[in-house]
């Protein structure tokens, strides 16, 4: 039992200091990201904090389908762009960008004019202005595809 506790402590230390690479994932526009606890993704946290409540259901679903990549225990994990991590990780995702757009869980998506993507358009309208600097960066890395 003592050996298991030592292993857990070492693993927690390595994870907190960026020595364990979170699993890779893809952002909607095809760039590689890292699947991390939501509180570790500064860009997405900033976006969510800046949305006005109540959140329209299709905006909530759009964010979920764009970023949700699983659970660890009871913690929600999200696909985060490497430059959006609160704690910089020394290891970049080891995946080449994919050629096409897509959502999490291999759901298909297509590159279209912003005005034709109703959930994205509603999300932008719902944001409080002025935008924090992280939000435009997240939009560029996650949704700009053409």
């Amino acid at each position: 039992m003592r050996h298991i506790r030592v292993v857990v402590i070492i693993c927690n230390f390595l994870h907190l200091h960026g020595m364990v690479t979170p699993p890779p994932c893809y952002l909607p526009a095809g760039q590689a990201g890292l699947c991390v606890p939501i509180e570790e993704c500064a860009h997405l946290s900033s976006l969510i904090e800046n949305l006005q409540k109540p959140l329209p259901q299709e905006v909530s679903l759009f964010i979920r389908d764009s970023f949700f990549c699983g659970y660890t225990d009871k913690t929600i994990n999200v696909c985060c762009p490497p430059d959006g991590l609160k704690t910089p990780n020394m290891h970049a995702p080891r995946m080449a960008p994919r050629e096409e757009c897509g959502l999490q869980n291999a759901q298909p998506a297509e590159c279209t004019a912003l005005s034709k993507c109703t959930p994205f358009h509603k999300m932008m309208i719902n944001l409080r202005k002025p935008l924090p600097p992280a939000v435009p960066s997240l939009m560029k890395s996650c949704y700009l595809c053409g």
Side-chain angles (χ1 to χ4, degrees):
M1 183 70 168
R2 184 177 180 162
H3 294 292
I4 293 172
R5 192 175 311 152
V6 171
V7 170
V8 169
I9 291 170
I10 291 171
C11 288
N12 285 339
F13 175 80
L14 293 174
H15 181 72
L16 290 173
H17 291 87
M19 299 169 139
V20 172
T21 304
C25 55
Y26 282 110
L27 299 162
Q31 297 298 318
L34 294 169
C35 188
V36 298
I38 192 166
E39 63 271 2
E40 289 297 316
C41 187
H43 284 11
L44 189 57
S45 295
S46 183
L47 171 73
I48 291 169
E49 289 168 9
N50 208 47
L51 288 166
Q52 300 175 53
K53 309 303 183 272
L55 196 58
Q57 183 177 9
E58 65 185 307
V59 172
S60 178
L61 293 173
F62 180 68
I63 292 170
R64 182 199 67 193
D65 291 345
S66 295
F67 299 102
F68 176 76
C69 58
Y71 291 101
T72 303
D73 296 321
K74 294 182 180 178
T75 302
I76 294 172
N77 293 327
V78 295
C79 190
C80 189
D83 66 339
L85 295 170
K86 285 185 181 176
T87 306
N89 191 295
M90 297 179 350
H91 306 286
R94 296 179 185 182
M95 300 185 324
R98 64 180 174 206
E99 296 295 318
E100 67 281 339
C101 295
L103 300 173
Q104 299 305 315
N105 298 319
Q107 295 180 62
E110 62 184 67
C111 193
T112 186
L114 295 178
S115 61
K116 292 183 179 182
C117 183
T118 304
F120 182 84
H121 187 70
K122 284 187 177 184
M123 180 175 68
M124 296 306 292
I125 290 170
N126 191 275
L127 286 167
R128 289 187 207 103
K129 311 312 186 268
L131 296 175
V135 173
S137 178
L138 179 72
M139 296 300 154
K140 182 179 179 184
S141 65
C142 296
Y143 294 112
L144 187 61
C145 63

